[in-house]
Amino acid sequence: MRNWKAYLLATAAIGTCGLAAPAQAQLVYAGGASFPAPVYRYLFDCHSVQVDGNPGGPTWPYPGGAFEPAYPIHPSCPSATGDFSGLFMQILYVPVGSGGGKRALIAHDGSSNATGFGAAPAVHLPIVSSWIPGWTDKYGYPSVQFVGSDDVWNATDATNYVNSGNQAKYGNIIQMPAMAGAVVIAFNGNDGNGTPLNIQNSVPAGATADKATFGYPGNYSGLNLTRKALCGIFTGHITAWNDPELKKSNNNVQLGTGAIKVVHRSDGSGTNFLFVNALYRQCQGVTGPLNTTDALSATPSTRSWEFRFSDRTNAACPDALYRASNLTNWPDFTNDTCSPAQPLNNNPGGGTFIAGNTNGGVKTAIESNNGAIGYSTTDFSQPVLSTGMKVANVQSQYDVDNNTGAFQWPSPTRIKNSMAAVNPILPDANAIANPLNWSSQSQVPNPATPNSYPIAGFTWLDMYQCYSQTRDSGLGAGTFQNLFNYIGFHYYDAAATAILNSQGFSAIPNTWRDPIIPLITGGPSMMGNAGDPSNPGCSSKQGA
């Protein structure tokens, strides 16, 4: 295995040698997951040259060519003007979703709707650059070098990549957890009748301290949801704000009245996967009355509150697959996706469900509907965003088992604690090189560690093994050297960690970070330049 620090210093020196102007810069094309896209923009613009959104030309692919201005350089970046690395590399990233990212990586195509990055992004951030002012095509990137994904690399992805013929050209796929993020439980703040919720709990003292530590402009809330309350709401059994279970977990004070409206994603997303994966595990064995009316009656019934909404992209039609999925058969979808479609019968409690397209659509639906509660991400919510949605505190398995009375909030510290509940078992170089080994061990749907926020997961960087120097001709350091340098910044620089934390994300635990060094510097998936005779995995490849 190569010495990581020595090699990193060498690539940095190569990258800065002889480069005097941005005209010599190297463009790297990427895309995929929307969940981490804003924080990626801050990271990329700090390490590399800031992306300006191409103010002199078309901005693909927003309708009408709307201009998306540059993100500000993050205050935690050591360079006030970006390009901290001095490599004159610029990384473009289009947030089309995890599925579009993996599709583009498999096909090695960033340019087409069929096999490339896909439709217009839902997250507004600059995705083109004035460094390519002659670029008039409003669709797609000319190539792809890496992607971000909230979806782990799976056996189907691996088969499709081999069948595409691109493994023979670009080498193995390298998958690394990039950061850990939370799925938050966001709520409107009013009950079903438009009256502010009567929240009498104080904000947890630790949440106030976390807000100060990370410099967040917004606030945490005092709304607490027991494990049972969380399961009851999102299975349609806690149907109103005067439900006894809600009163029990909120200082024995009735929160309000009127219907609870559950807002969920209508499109496939990694956010949906992380959320339903947590509920499938955390709601096992949970029971309660049929609905709030039943709960308030003299003889309430006992029903299962397990999360039993099926995978909407059901590959085993007509038999429902009850599993974590990017797109779920929520009750308001009415019919499943089989042909002919069958009616869904998964809402016996009569809960109210509302769909929102993308996390932005969920935010709009929650804010515009009295009594609404749903799930989203930290970048749309308080305290990271001062004008974001309020978020609830929830119980971890440790709190449930030990009757601590504590409730957890989605801070970087508690997210990291959650993901540290599982350590990867990668005993040799072959195991480290196989992305399926990382995928199968990475889910932590019900962490049992103290002080852990229990709805969290990794988002991933997926890269090729071999990179071409041909596309780098005359541009100083090559793609491999520059990406290798970025990896060092991303995982080992304090500035990168500060940027992650500022947006509500956590750096990955050290037990997950440490195998990345042997993954990319040795073994069957050692990264390198195509045609390099010293790297057996890349010596016969053309490179990405």
Side-chain angles (χ1 to χ4, degrees):
M1 184 182 76
R2 301 176 184 180
N3 182 279
W4 170 263
K5 291 185 177 179
Y7 195 75
L8 184 60
L9 289 172
T11 57
I14 292 170
T16 56
C17 180
L19 292 179
Q24 291 181 298
Q26 177 187 112
L27 281 164
V28 170
Y29 301 103
S34 59
F35 178 26
V39 74
Y40 273 145
R41 191 67 272 148
Y42 284 122
L43 288 166
F44 296 156
D45 285 349
C46 176
H47 174 269
S48 303
V49 175
Q50 183 183 33
V51 171
D52 57 19
N54 199 3
T59 302
W60 171 84
Y62 296 109
F67 173 61
E68 294 293 334
Y71 264 38
I73 300 299
H74 197 278
S76 295
C77 184
S79 169
T81 56
D83 194 23
F84 171 53
S85 68
L87 295 174
F88 297 126
M89 173 175 69
Q90 188 174 75
I91 303 174
L92 297 177
Y93 186 97
V94 57
V96 296
S98 300
K102 290 203 294 184
R103 177 182 59 189
L105 190 74
I106 289 168
H108 189 61
D109 178 10
S111 66
S112 72
N113 188 47
T115 57
F117 279 124
V123 178
H124 285 252
L125 76 166
I127 57 174
V128 295
S129 165
S130 60
W131 283 13
I132 43 176
W135 186 15
T136 58
D137 180 10
K138 284 194 176 185
Y139 195 92
Y141 293 154
S143 64
V144 54
Q145 277 68 57
F146 72 90
V147 302
S149 179
D150 302 330
D151 298 339
V152 293
W153 191 256
N154 58 45
T156 300
D157 297 326
T159 298
N160 290 341
Y161 183 57
V162 172
N163 291 341
S164 73
N166 286 328
Q167 186 178 40
K169 298 177 182 177
Y170 313 118
N172 296 329
I173 293 298
I174 294 174
Q175 178 182 242
M176 300 171 281
M179 63 192 82
V183 178
V184 301
I185 308 302
F187 61 99
N188 174 278
N190 291 333
D191 68 10
N193 295 314
T195 302
L197 293 174
N198 187 23
I199 301 173
Q200 296 299 314
N201 301 313
S202 299
V203 176
T208 302
D210 274 349
K211 170 181 151 54
T213 296
F214 299 112
Y216 294 145
N219 297 300
Y220 285 108
S221 84
L223 178 64
N224 293 334
L225 297 179
T226 61
R227 171 69 56 83
K228 186 171 181 177
L230 179 70
C231 295
I233 289 171
F234 285 95
T235 56
H237 292 287
I238 292 180
T239 53
W241 286 101
N242 60 328
D243 193 277
E245 184 63 32
L246 297 180
K247 182 177 179 179
K248 184 189 306 182
S249 61
N250 285 277
N251 207 26
N252 208 33
V253 172
Q254 181 174 303
L255 290 173
T257 57
I260 289 174
K261 302 177 182 70
V262 176
V263 181
H264 63 84
R265 288 287 290 265
S266 64
D267 56 319
S269 74
T271 306
N272 191 84
F273 177 88
L274 292 176
F275 181 64
V276 300
N277 194 33
L279 291 193
Y280 273 121
R281 288 290 300 275
Q282 295 177 24
C283 299
Q284 291 177 0
V286 176
T287 62
L290 177 64
N291 50 35
T292 298
T293 300
D294 184 22
L296 294 170
S297 71
T299 56
S301 63
T302 299
R303 304 293 183 95
S304 171
W305 284 5
E306 291 189 358
F307 193 85
R308 295 286 287 172
F309 302 153
S310 58
D311 184 351
R312 187 157 181 80
T313 55
N314 188 352
C317 279
D319 297 322
L321 295 179
Y322 296 102
R323 62 184 182 186
S325 59
N326 286 350
L327 186 59
T328 300
N329 264 325
W330 295 96
D332 53 315
F333 280 154
T334 307
N335 292 324
D336 63 22
T337 56
C338 298
S339 182
Q342 301 296 313
L344 297 171
N345 185 23
N346 56 353
N347 188 19
T352 303
F353 290 81
I354 300 172
N357 187 51
T358 75
N359 282 326
V362 167
K363 180 176 186 288
T364 298
I366 289 174
E367 292 179 337
S368 60
N369 283 279
N370 287 326
I373 188 169
Y375 57 95
S376 188
T377 51
T378 52
D379 52 317
F380 284 90
S381 311
Q382 294 198 50
V384 173
L385 185 67
S386 61
T387 58
M389 300 175 288
K390 304 176 182 69
V391 300
N393 312 303
V394 297
Q395 289 183 312
S396 71
Q397 188 63 47
Y398 184 87
D399 299 321
V400 174
D401 291 343
N402 295 281
N403 197 25
T404 65
F407 291 83
Q408 308 300 328
W409 54 95
S411 76
T413 302
R414 278 163 166 71
I415 294 168
K416 192 169 185 177
N417 288 344
S418 175
M419 300 312 295
V422 172
N423 295 327
I425 301 173
L426 302 166
D428 54 43
N430 288 327
I432 292 172
N434 186 349
L436 298 182
N437 288 327
W438 294 74
S439 299
S440 63
Q441 301 179 64
S442 64
Q443 297 174 22
V444 191
N446 191 22
T449 47
N451 300 319
S452 60
Y453 181 78
I455 314 174
F458 291 135
T459 186
W460 302 79
L461 283 170
D462 293 343
M463 295 185 172
Y464 297 110
Q465 178 183 5
C466 308
Y467 287 93
S468 170
Q469 296 192 86
T470 303
R471 70 178 296 270
D472 311 319
S473 179
L475 298 178
T479 304
F480 158 59
Q481 285 88 351
N482 286 353
L483 287 181
F484 197 95
N485 189 286
Y486 175 76
I487 290 170
F489 167 76
H490 184 102
Y491 289 107
Y492 287 89
D493 198 289
T497 299
I499 292 171
L500 289 173
N501 292 165
S502 75
Q503 301 302 299
F505 289 89
S506 165
I508 65 175
N510 288 349
T511 53
W512 285 91
R513 184 189 68 176
D514 292 346
I516 292 173
I517 299 174
L519 169 67
I520 64 176
T521 62
S525 289
M526 182 172 71
M527 288 178 66
N529 289 313
D532 181 356
S534 68
N535 185 340
C538 295
S539 60
S540 61
K541 305 293 191 295
Q542 73 180 53

